[in-house]
PDB file of all heavy atoms in Angstrom:
ATOM      1  N   ASN A   1     123.955 107.997  94.542  1.00 86.00           N
ATOM      2  CA  ASN A   1     123.417 108.154  93.325  1.00 86.00           C
ATOM      3  C   ASN A   1     122.180 107.196  93.166  1.00 86.00           C
ATOM      4  O   ASN A   1     122.176 106.005  93.765  1.00 86.00           O
ATOM      5  CB  ASN A   1     124.431 107.792  92.234  1.00 86.00           C
ATOM      6  CG  ASN A   1     125.345 108.928  92.063  1.00 86.00           C
ATOM      7  OD1 ASN A   1     124.973 109.856  91.341  1.00 86.00           O
ATOM      8  ND2 ASN A   1     126.584 108.767  92.477  1.00 86.00           N
ATOM      9  N   PHE A   2     121.177 107.569  92.476  1.00 88.00           N
ATOM     10  CA  PHE A   2     119.913 106.707  92.211  1.00 88.00           C
ATOM     11  C   PHE A   2     119.889 106.437  90.809  1.00 88.00           C
ATOM     12  O   PHE A   2     120.375 107.124  89.773  1.00 88.00           O
ATOM     13  CB  PHE A   2     118.736 107.565  92.647  1.00 88.00           C
ATOM     14  CG  PHE A   2     118.637 108.022  94.050  1.00 88.00           C
ATOM     15  CD1 PHE A   2     118.865 109.367  94.393  1.00 88.00           C
ATOM     16  CD2 PHE A   2     118.329 107.160  94.926  1.00 88.00           C
ATOM     17  CE1 PHE A   2     118.481 109.884  95.646  1.00 88.00           C
ATOM     18  CE2 PHE A   2     118.331 107.472  96.340  1.00 88.00           C
ATOM     19  CZ  PHE A   2     118.424 108.785  96.603  1.00 88.00           C
ATOM     20  N   TYR A   3     119.505 105.176  90.504  1.00 87.00           N
ATOM     21  CA  TYR A   3     119.523 104.489  89.184  1.00 87.00           C
ATOM     22  C   TYR A   3     118.169 104.054  88.727  1.00 87.00           C
ATOM     23  O   TYR A   3     117.172 104.304  89.470  1.00 87.00           O
ATOM     24  CB  TYR A   3     120.519 103.390  89.300  1.00 87.00           C
ATOM     25  CG  TYR A   3     121.939 103.684  89.491  1.00 87.00           C
ATOM     26  CD1 TYR A   3     122.513 103.832  90.850  1.00 87.00           C
ATOM     27  CD2 TYR A   3     122.808 104.196  88.420  1.00 87.00           C
ATOM     28  CE1 TYR A   3     123.705 104.226  91.057  1.00 87.00           C
ATOM     29  CE2 TYR A   3     124.178 104.508  88.680  1.00 87.00           C
ATOM     30  CZ  TYR A   3     124.638 104.550  90.035  1.00 87.00           C
ATOM     31  OH  TYR A   3     125.882 105.017  90.205  1.00 87.00           O
ATOM     32  N   ASN A   4     118.053 103.431  87.598  1.00 86.00           N
ATOM     33  CA  ASN A   4     116.933 103.007  86.875  1.00 86.00           C
ATOM     34  C   ASN A   4     115.968 102.347  87.909  1.00 86.00           C
ATOM     35  O   ASN A   4     114.715 102.499  87.886  1.00 86.00           O
ATOM     36  CB  ASN A   4     117.095 102.288  85.705  1.00 86.00           C
ATOM     37  CG  ASN A   4     117.671 103.149  84.713  1.00 86.00           C
ATOM     38  OD1 ASN A   4     117.514 104.360  84.703  1.00 86.00           O
ATOM     39  ND2 ASN A   4     118.452 102.486  83.829  1.00 86.00           N
ATOM     40  N   ASP A   5     116.439 101.424  88.698  1.00 81.00           N
ATOM     41  CA  ASP A   5     115.654 100.518  89.549  1.00 81.00           C
ATOM     42  C   ASP A   5     115.158 101.218  90.914  1.00 81.00           C
ATOM     43  O   ASP A   5     114.529 100.557  91.788  1.00 81.00           O
ATOM     44  CB  ASP A   5     116.282  99.191  90.026  1.00 81.00           C
ATOM     45  CG  ASP A   5     117.693  99.439  90.629  1.00 81.00           C
ATOM     46  OD1 ASP A   5     118.094 100.565  90.661  1.00 81.00           O
ATOM     47  OD2 ASP A   5     118.281  98.423  91.118  1.00 81.00           O
ATOM     48  N   HIS A   6     115.390 102.593  91.060  1.00 85.00           N
ATOM     49  CA  HIS A   6     114.927 103.276  92.221  1.00 85.00           C
ATOM     50  C   HIS A   6     113.652 104.054  91.969  1.00 85.00           C
ATOM     51  O   HIS A   6     113.266 104.899  92.909  1.00 85.00           O
ATOM     52  CB  HIS A   6     116.056 104.304  92.572  1.00 85.00           C
ATOM     53  CG  HIS A   6     117.320 103.545  93.263  1.00 85.00           C
ATOM     54  ND1 HIS A   6     118.623 103.870  92.761  1.00 85.00           N
ATOM     55  CD2 HIS A   6     117.396 102.726  94.265  1.00 85.00           C
ATOM     56  CE1 HIS A   6     119.318 103.051  93.589  1.00 85.00           C
ATOM     57  NE2 HIS A   6     118.620 102.514  94.377  1.00 85.00           N
ATOM     58  N   TYR A   7     113.022 103.837  90.944  1.00 87.00           N
ATOM     59  CA  TYR A   7     111.839 104.633  90.472  1.00 87.00           C
ATOM     60  C   TYR A   7     110.738 104.549  91.630  1.00 87.00           C
ATOM     61  O   TYR A   7     110.311 105.546  92.134  1.00 87.00           O
ATOM     62  CB  TYR A   7     111.126 104.270  89.148  1.00 87.00           C
ATOM     63  CG  TYR A   7     110.117 105.088  88.640  1.00 87.00           C
ATOM     64  CD1 TYR A   7     110.166 106.253  88.102  1.00 87.00           C
ATOM     65  CD2 TYR A   7     108.812 104.481  88.879  1.00 87.00           C
ATOM     66  CE1 TYR A   7     109.024 107.033  87.769  1.00 87.00           C
ATOM     67  CE2 TYR A   7     107.596 105.144  88.482  1.00 87.00           C
ATOM     68  CZ  TYR A   7     107.745 106.368  87.867  1.00 87.00           C
ATOM     69  OH  TYR A   7     106.608 107.162  87.515  1.00 87.00           O
ATOM     70  N   ASP A   8     110.345 103.285  91.867  1.00 84.00           N
ATOM     71  CA  ASP A   8     109.251 103.108  92.908  1.00 84.00           C
ATOM     72  C   ASP A   8     109.627 103.518  94.242  1.00 84.00           C
ATOM     73  O   ASP A   8     108.839 104.157  94.965  1.00 84.00           O
ATOM     74  CB  ASP A   8     108.894 101.698  92.937  1.00 84.00           C
ATOM     75  CG  ASP A   8     108.242 101.231  91.588  1.00 84.00           C
ATOM     76  OD1 ASP A   8     107.476 102.025  91.110  1.00 84.00           O
ATOM     77  OD2 ASP A   8     108.302 100.031  91.340  1.00 84.00           O
ATOM     78  N   LEU A   9     110.895 103.436  94.536  1.00 83.00           N
ATOM     79  CA  LEU A   9     111.414 103.863  95.982  1.00 83.00           C
ATOM     80  C   LEU A   9     111.337 105.452  96.080  1.00 83.00           C
ATOM     81  O   LEU A   9     110.836 105.932  97.000  1.00 83.00           O
ATOM     82  CB  LEU A   9     112.814 103.405  96.276  1.00 83.00           C
ATOM     83  CG  LEU A   9     113.483 103.804  97.503  1.00 83.00           C
ATOM     84  CD1 LEU A   9     114.355 102.661  98.039  1.00 83.00           C
ATOM     85  CD2 LEU A   9     114.279 105.149  97.494  1.00 83.00           C
ATOM     86  N   LEU A  10     111.767 106.129  94.977  1.00 89.00           N
ATOM     87  CA  LEU A  10     111.616 107.497  94.957  1.00 89.00           C
ATOM     88  C   LEU A  10     110.252 108.237  95.089  1.00 89.00           C
ATOM     89  O   LEU A  10     110.125 109.125  95.805  1.00 89.00           O
ATOM     90  CB  LEU A  10     112.386 108.042  93.747  1.00 89.00           C
ATOM     91  CG  LEU A  10     113.935 107.849  93.636  1.00 89.00           C
ATOM     92  CD1 LEU A  10     114.497 108.367  92.432  1.00 89.00           C
ATOM     93  CD2 LEU A  10     114.660 108.529  94.840  1.00 89.00           C
ATOM     94  N   LEU A  11     109.348 107.577  94.388  1.00 89.00           N
ATOM     95  CA  LEU A  11     108.008 108.054  94.366  1.00 89.00           C
ATOM     96  C   LEU A  11     107.434 107.826  95.842  1.00 89.00           C
ATOM     97  O   LEU A  11     106.441 108.686  96.134  1.00 89.00           O
ATOM     98  CB  LEU A  11     107.083 107.251  93.406  1.00 89.00           C
ATOM     99  CG  LEU A  11     106.952 108.078  91.994  1.00 89.00           C
ATOM    100  CD1 LEU A  11     108.381 108.198  91.409  1.00 89.00           C
ATOM    101  CD2 LEU A  11     106.057 107.234  91.048  1.00 89.00           C
ATOM    102  N   GLY A  12     107.812 106.887  96.666  1.00 86.00           N
ATOM    103  CA  GLY A  12     107.333 106.713  97.886  1.00 86.00           C
ATOM    104  C   GLY A  12     107.862 107.640  99.049  1.00 86.00           C
ATOM    105  O   GLY A  12     107.374 107.444 100.238  1.00 86.00           O
ATOM    106  N   GLN A  13     108.738 108.591  98.699  1.00 89.00           N
ATOM    107  CA  GLN A  13     109.297 109.350  99.694  1.00 89.00           C
ATOM    108  C   GLN A  13     108.502 110.720  99.742  1.00 89.00           C
ATOM    109  O   GLN A  13     107.990 111.142  98.741  1.00 89.00           O
ATOM    110  CB  GLN A  13     110.788 109.650  99.299  1.00 89.00           C
ATOM    111  CG  GLN A  13     111.632 108.454  99.090  1.00 89.00           C
ATOM    112  CD  GLN A  13     111.479 107.322 100.105  1.00 89.00           C
ATOM    113  OE1 GLN A  13     111.609 107.566 101.292  1.00 89.00           O
ATOM    114  NE2 GLN A  13     111.103 106.053  99.630  1.00 89.00           N
ATOM    115  N   ASP A  14     108.592 111.290 100.989  1.00 91.00           N
ATOM    116  CA  ASP A  14     107.861 112.465 101.260  1.00 91.00           C
ATOM    117  C   ASP A  14     108.659 113.641 100.878  1.00 91.00           C
ATOM    118  O   ASP A  14     109.030 114.540 101.677  1.00 91.00           O
ATOM    119  CB  ASP A  14     107.521 112.415 102.767  1.00 91.00           C
ATOM    120  CG  ASP A  14     106.473 113.582 103.066  1.00 91.00           C
ATOM    121  OD1 ASP A  14     105.815 114.047 102.138  1.00 91.00           O
ATOM    122  OD2 ASP A  14     106.332 114.025 104.251  1.00 91.00           O
ATOM    123  N   PHE A  15     108.947 113.785  99.630  1.00 94.00           N
ATOM    124  CA  PHE A  15     109.836 114.920  99.093  1.00 94.00           C
ATOM    125  C   PHE A  15     109.341 115.218  97.703  1.00 94.00           C
ATOM    126  O   PHE A  15     108.541 114.388  97.034  1.00 94.00           O
ATOM    127  CB  PHE A  15     111.330 114.454  98.945  1.00 94.00           C
ATOM    128  CG  PHE A  15     111.890 114.088 100.260  1.00 94.00           C
ATOM    129  CD1 PHE A  15     111.834 112.839 100.847  1.00 94.00           C
ATOM    130  CD2 PHE A  15     112.626 115.077 101.090  1.00 94.00           C
ATOM    131  CE1 PHE A  15     112.357 112.628 102.097  1.00 94.00           C
ATOM    132  CE2 PHE A  15     113.286 114.865 102.206  1.00 94.00           C
ATOM    133  CZ  PHE A  15     113.108 113.524 102.723  1.00 94.00           C
ATOM    134  N   LEU A  16     109.691 116.384  97.204  1.00 95.00           N
ATOM    135  CA  LEU A  16     109.105 116.826  95.923  1.00 95.00           C
ATOM    136  C   LEU A  16     110.190 116.585  94.817  1.00 95.00           C
ATOM    137  O   LEU A  16     109.886 116.307  93.625  1.00 95.00           O
ATOM    138  CB  LEU A  16     108.886 118.309  95.841  1.00 95.00           C
ATOM    139  CG  LEU A  16     107.851 118.822  96.842  1.00 95.00           C
ATOM    140  CD1 LEU A  16     107.568 120.235  96.697  1.00 95.00           C
ATOM    141  CD2 LEU A  16     106.570 118.005  96.675  1.00 95.00           C
ATOM    142  N   PHE A  17     111.620 116.564  95.163  1.00 95.00           N
ATOM    143  CA  PHE A  17     112.627 116.198  94.160  1.00 95.00           C
ATOM    144  C   PHE A  17     113.539 115.258  94.883  1.00 95.00           C
ATOM    145  O   PHE A  17     113.483 114.931  96.116  1.00 95.00           O
ATOM    146  CB  PHE A  17     113.398 117.609  93.925  1.00 95.00           C
ATOM    147  CG  PHE A  17     112.677 118.393  92.935  1.00 95.00           C
ATOM    148  CD1 PHE A  17     111.655 119.168  93.338  1.00 95.00           C
ATOM    149  CD2 PHE A  17     113.187 118.507  91.656  1.00 95.00           C
ATOM    150  CE1 PHE A  17     110.915 120.041  92.372  1.00 95.00           C
ATOM    151  CE2 PHE A  17     112.562 119.392  90.669  1.00 95.00           C
ATOM    152  CZ  PHE A  17     111.451 120.061  91.089  1.00 95.00           C
ATOM    153  N   ALA A  18     114.577 114.720  94.054  1.00 93.00           N
ATOM    154  CA  ALA A  18     115.570 113.808  94.548  1.00 93.00           C
ATOM    155  C   ALA A  18     116.765 114.245  93.957  1.00 93.00           C
ATOM    156  O   ALA A  18     116.940 114.650  92.818  1.00 93.00           O
ATOM    157  CB  ALA A  18     115.273 112.389  94.204  1.00 93.00           C
ATOM    158  N   ARG A  19     117.870 114.018  94.645  1.00 90.00           N
ATOM    159  CA  ARG A  19     119.329 114.305  94.255  1.00 90.00           C
ATOM    160  C   ARG A  19     120.176 113.143  94.771  1.00 90.00           C
ATOM    161  O   ARG A  19     119.985 112.834  95.986  1.00 90.00           O
ATOM    162  CB  ARG A  19     119.816 115.585  94.602  1.00 90.00           C
ATOM    163  CG  ARG A  19     121.199 116.069  94.301  1.00 90.00           C
ATOM    164  CD  ARG A  19     121.525 117.433  94.771  1.00 90.00           C
ATOM    165  NE  ARG A  19     122.793 117.946  94.339  1.00 90.00           N
ATOM    166  CZ  ARG A  19     123.945 117.549  94.917  1.00 90.00           C
ATOM    167  NH1 ARG A  19     124.071 116.861  95.991  1.00 90.00           N
ATOM    168  NH2 ARG A  19     125.035 118.009  94.192  1.00 90.00           N
ATOM    169  N   LYS A  20     121.117 112.553  94.220  1.00 87.00           N
ATOM    170  CA  LYS A  20     121.601 112.684  92.825  1.00 87.00           C
ATOM    171  C   LYS A  20     121.014 111.667  91.790  1.00 87.00           C
ATOM    172  O   LYS A  20     121.163 110.474  92.210  1.00 87.00           O
ATOM    173  CB  LYS A  20     123.010 112.664  92.735  1.00 87.00           C
ATOM    174  CG  LYS A  20     123.787 113.767  93.346  1.00 87.00           C
ATOM    175  CD  LYS A  20     125.342 113.588  93.067  1.00 87.00           C
ATOM    176  CE  LYS A  20     126.148 114.832  93.001  1.00 87.00           C
ATOM    177  NZ  LYS A  20     127.576 114.570  92.691  1.00 87.00           N
ATOM    178  N   ILE A  21     120.418 112.083  90.715  1.00 89.00           N
ATOM    179  CA  ILE A  21     120.105 111.136  89.684  1.00 89.00           C
ATOM    180  C   ILE A  21     121.318 110.781  88.934  1.00 89.00           C
ATOM    181  O   ILE A  21     121.852 111.790  88.253  1.00 89.00           O
ATOM    182  CB  ILE A  21     118.926 111.597  88.842  1.00 89.00           C
ATOM    183  CG1 ILE A  21     117.753 112.140  89.733  1.00 89.00           C
ATOM    184  CG2 ILE A  21     118.598 110.516  87.899  1.00 89.00           C
ATOM    185  CD1 ILE A  21     117.175 110.879  90.637  1.00 89.00           C
ATOM    186  N   SER A  22     121.719 109.482  88.789  1.00 86.00           N
ATOM    187  CA  SER A  22     123.039 109.300  87.904  1.00 86.00           C
ATOM    188  C   SER A  22     122.794 109.538  86.570  1.00 86.00           C
ATOM    189  O   SER A  22     121.721 109.421  85.947  1.00 86.00           O
ATOM    190  CB  SER A  22     123.265 107.765  88.162  1.00 86.00           C
ATOM    191  OG  SER A  22     124.295 107.269  87.240  1.00 86.00           O
ATOM    192  N   PRO A  23     123.837 110.145  85.962  1.00 83.00           N
ATOM    193  CA  PRO A  23     123.812 110.364  84.519  1.00 83.00           C
ATOM    194  C   PRO A  23     123.513 109.091  83.621  1.00 83.00           C
ATOM    195  O   PRO A  23     122.946 109.200  82.548  1.00 83.00           O
ATOM    196  CB  PRO A  23     125.213 110.752  84.106  1.00 83.00           C
ATOM    197  CG  PRO A  23     125.702 111.431  85.502  1.00 83.00           C
ATOM    198  CD  PRO A  23     125.131 110.523  86.527  1.00 83.00           C
ATOM    199  N   GLU A  24     123.889 107.963  84.240  1.00 83.00           N
ATOM    200  CA  GLU A  24     123.555 106.741  83.526  1.00 83.00           C
ATOM    201  C   GLU A  24     122.130 106.224  83.559  1.00 83.00           C
ATOM    202  O   GLU A  24     121.649 105.367  82.875  1.00 83.00           O
ATOM    203  CB  GLU A  24     124.535 105.671  84.144  1.00 83.00           C
ATOM    204  CG  GLU A  24     125.961 105.943  84.034  1.00 83.00           C
ATOM    205  CD  GLU A  24     126.823 104.944  84.786  1.00 83.00           C
ATOM    206  OE1 GLU A  24     126.256 103.959  85.282  1.00 83.00           O
ATOM    207  OE2 GLU A  24     128.042 105.167  84.939  1.00 83.00           O
ATOM    208  N   ALA A  25     121.322 106.812  84.533  1.00 86.00           N
ATOM    209  CA  ALA A  25     119.912 106.416  84.690  1.00 86.00           C
ATOM    210  C   ALA A  25     119.069 106.994  83.664  1.00 86.00           C
ATOM    211  O   ALA A  25     118.053 107.887  83.983  1.00 86.00           O
ATOM    212  CB  ALA A  25     119.502 106.748  86.097  1.00 86.00           C
ATOM    213  N   LYS A  26     119.239 106.779  82.468  1.00 87.00           N
ATOM    214  CA  LYS A  26     118.378 107.314  81.381  1.00 87.00           C
ATOM    215  C   LYS A  26     116.922 106.914  81.408  1.00 87.00           C
ATOM    216  O   LYS A  26     116.085 107.697  81.326  1.00 87.00           O
ATOM    217  CB  LYS A  26     118.927 106.765  79.996  1.00 87.00           C
ATOM    218  CG  LYS A  26     120.498 106.910  79.752  1.00 87.00           C
ATOM    219  CD  LYS A  26     120.811 108.400  79.619  1.00 87.00           C
ATOM    220  CE  LYS A  26     122.140 108.536  79.054  1.00 87.00           C
ATOM    221  NZ  LYS A  26     122.516 110.133  79.151  1.00 87.00           N
ATOM    222  N   ASP A  27     116.554 105.682  81.925  1.00 90.00           N
ATOM    223  CA  ASP A  27     115.128 105.265  81.932  1.00 90.00           C
ATOM    224  C   ASP A  27     114.561 105.972  83.149  1.00 90.00           C
ATOM    225  O   ASP A  27     113.348 106.343  82.992  1.00 90.00           O
ATOM    226  CB  ASP A  27     115.215 103.765  82.114  1.00 90.00           C
ATOM    227  CG  ASP A  27     113.637 103.191  82.040  1.00 90.00           C
ATOM    228  OD1 ASP A  27     113.013 103.619  81.067  1.00 90.00           O
ATOM    229  OD2 ASP A  27     113.236 102.532  82.929  1.00 90.00           O
ATOM    230  N   LEU A  28     115.276 106.078  84.230  1.00 90.00           N
ATOM    231  CA  LEU A  28     114.729 106.715  85.346  1.00 90.00           C
ATOM    232  C   LEU A  28     114.354 108.198  84.985  1.00 90.00           C
ATOM    233  O   LEU A  28     113.283 108.786  85.328  1.00 90.00           O
ATOM    234  CB  LEU A  28     115.819 106.580  86.489  1.00 90.00           C
ATOM    235  CG  LEU A  28     115.282 107.439  87.858  1.00 90.00           C
ATOM    236  CD1 LEU A  28     114.006 106.917  88.323  1.00 90.00           C
ATOM    237  CD2 LEU A  28     116.470 107.387  88.973  1.00 90.00           C
ATOM    238  N   LYS A  29     115.306 108.896  84.393  1.00 90.00           N
ATOM    239  CA  LYS A  29     115.049 110.267  83.993  1.00 90.00           C
ATOM    240  C   LYS A  29     113.827 110.489  82.994  1.00 90.00           C
ATOM    241  O   LYS A  29     113.066 111.306  83.205  1.00 90.00           O
ATOM    242  CB  LYS A  29     116.318 110.859  83.308  1.00 90.00           C
ATOM    243  CG  LYS A  29     117.465 111.092  84.263  1.00 90.00           C
ATOM    244  CD  LYS A  29     118.680 111.705  83.460  1.00 90.00           C
ATOM    245  CE  LYS A  29     119.862 112.066  84.433  1.00 90.00           C
ATOM    246  NZ  LYS A  29     120.901 112.698  83.770  1.00 90.00           N
ATOM    247  N   ARG A  30     113.735 109.495  82.118  1.00 90.00           N
ATOM    248  CA  ARG A  30     112.639 109.559  81.185  1.00 90.00           C
ATOM    249  C   ARG A  30     111.292 109.330  81.826  1.00 90.00           C
ATOM    250  O   ARG A  30     110.349 110.059  81.676  1.00 90.00           O
ATOM    251  CB  ARG A  30     112.798 108.384  80.099  1.00 90.00           C
ATOM    252  CG  ARG A  30     111.697 108.348  79.146  1.00 90.00           C
ATOM    253  CD  ARG A  30     111.880 107.186  78.222  1.00 90.00           C
ATOM    254  NE  ARG A  30     111.902 105.933  78.939  1.00 90.00           N
ATOM    255  CZ  ARG A  30     110.920 105.203  79.368  1.00 90.00           C
ATOM    256  NH1 ARG A  30     109.516 105.717  79.232  1.00 90.00           N
ATOM    257  NH2 ARG A  30     111.090 103.993  80.082  1.00 90.00           N
ATOM    258  N   ARG A  31     111.168 108.393  82.786  1.00 92.00           N
ATOM    259  CA  ARG A  31     110.028 108.158  83.566  1.00 92.00           C
ATOM    260  C   ARG A  31     109.644 109.267  84.426  1.00 92.00           C
ATOM    261  O   ARG A  31     108.450 109.717  84.505  1.00 92.00           O
ATOM    262  CB  ARG A  31     110.018 106.848  84.402  1.00 92.00           C
ATOM    263  CG  ARG A  31     110.241 105.557  83.494  1.00 92.00           C
ATOM    264  CD  ARG A  31     110.573 104.306  84.388  1.00 92.00           C
ATOM    265  NE  ARG A  31     109.313 103.917  84.995  1.00 92.00           N
ATOM    266  CZ  ARG A  31     109.178 102.960  85.907  1.00 92.00           C
ATOM    267  NH1 ARG A  31     110.274 102.310  86.140  1.00 92.00           N
ATOM    268  NH2 ARG A  31     108.116 102.662  86.412  1.00 92.00           N
ATOM    269  N   LEU A  32     110.567 109.767  85.220  1.00 92.00           N
ATOM    270  CA  LEU A  32     110.444 111.017  86.077  1.00 92.00           C
ATOM    271  C   LEU A  32     109.909 112.222  85.272  1.00 92.00           C
ATOM    272  O   LEU A  32     109.054 112.943  85.731  1.00 92.00           O
ATOM    273  CB  LEU A  32     111.667 111.266  87.010  1.00 92.00           C
ATOM    274  CG  LEU A  32     111.978 110.221  88.041  1.00 92.00           C
ATOM    275  CD1 LEU A  32     113.338 110.576  88.729  1.00 92.00           C
ATOM    276  CD2 LEU A  32     110.810 110.097  88.987  1.00 92.00           C
ATOM    277  N   GLY A  33     110.533 112.377  84.133  1.00 89.00           N
ATOM    278  CA  GLY A  33     110.198 113.529  83.378  1.00 89.00           C
ATOM    279  C   GLY A  33     108.795 113.529  82.811  1.00 89.00           C
ATOM    280  O   GLY A  33     108.125 114.496  82.778  1.00 89.00           O
ATOM    281  N   ARG A  34     108.309 112.197  82.566  1.00 90.00           N
ATOM    282  CA  ARG A  34     107.040 112.064  81.982  1.00 90.00           C
ATOM    283  C   ARG A  34     105.995 112.280  83.136  1.00 90.00           C
ATOM    284  O   ARG A  34     104.910 112.744  83.032  1.00 90.00           O
ATOM    285  CB  ARG A  34     106.787 110.703  81.356  1.00 90.00           C
ATOM    286  CG  ARG A  34     105.630 110.471  80.555  1.00 90.00           C
ATOM    287  CD  ARG A  34     105.743 109.285  79.659  1.00 90.00           C
ATOM    288  NE  ARG A  34     106.120 108.128  80.622  1.00 90.00           N
ATOM    289  CZ  ARG A  34     106.597 106.946  80.093  1.00 90.00           C
ATOM    290  NH1 ARG A  34     106.841 106.669  78.738  1.00 90.00           N
ATOM    291  NH2 ARG A  34     106.859 105.963  80.873  1.00 90.00           N
ATOM    292  N   LEU A  35     106.395 111.857  84.387  1.00 91.00           N
ATOM    293  CA  LEU A  35     105.613 111.940  85.599  1.00 91.00           C
ATOM    294  C   LEU A  35     105.190 113.389  86.009  1.00 91.00           C
ATOM    295  O   LEU A  35     103.942 113.666  86.326  1.00 91.00           O
ATOM    296  CB  LEU A  35     106.250 111.174  86.701  1.00 91.00           C
ATOM    297  CG  LEU A  35     105.520 111.397  88.127  1.00 91.00           C
ATOM    298  CD1 LEU A  35     104.316 110.551  88.148  1.00 91.00           C
ATOM    299  CD2 LEU A  35     106.563 111.048  89.265  1.00 91.00           C
ATOM    300  N   TYR A  36     106.118 114.274  85.756  1.00 90.00           N
ATOM    301  CA  TYR A  36     105.993 115.705  86.270  1.00 90.00           C
ATOM    302  C   TYR A  36     104.661 116.277  85.767  1.00 90.00           C
ATOM    303  O   TYR A  36     104.023 117.083  86.444  1.00 90.00           O
ATOM    304  CB  TYR A  36     107.189 116.520  85.965  1.00 90.00           C
ATOM    305  CG  TYR A  36     107.118 117.831  86.636  1.00 90.00           C
ATOM    306  CD1 TYR A  36     107.264 117.936  88.035  1.00 90.00           C
ATOM    307  CD2 TYR A  36     107.025 118.989  85.950  1.00 90.00           C
ATOM    308  CE1 TYR A  36     107.187 119.273  88.682  1.00 90.00           C
ATOM    309  CE2 TYR A  36     107.055 120.333  86.580  1.00 90.00           C
ATOM    310  CZ  TYR A  36     107.070 120.282  87.952  1.00 90.00           C
ATOM    311  OH  TYR A  36     107.064 121.620  88.613  1.00 90.00           O
TER     312      TYR A  36
END
């Protein structure tokens, strides 16, 4: 599972999506949603 502190790590990966985003990672979801 990926959590709030994984934002920078995820953006650096050579992929378009990531799985699994933890249901508890509210801030990560908000930031990724705004990024799209």
Side-chain angles (χ1 to χ4, degrees):
N1 282 283
F2 298 110
Y3 295 92
N4 290 334
D5 56 350
H6 288 126
Y7 180 80
D8 292 326
L9 181 143
L10 292 177
L11 264 59
Q13 307 314 305
D14 190 17
F15 297 86
L16 303 184
F17 281 75
R19 182 180 187 272
K20 287 182 157 185
I21 307 298
S22 169
E24 301 170 6
K26 305 293 186 184
D27 187 56
L28 177 60
K29 289 184 176 182
R30 179 184 57 79
R31 296 176 72 184
L32 291 176
R34 196 167 54 194
L35 171 72
Y36 188 68

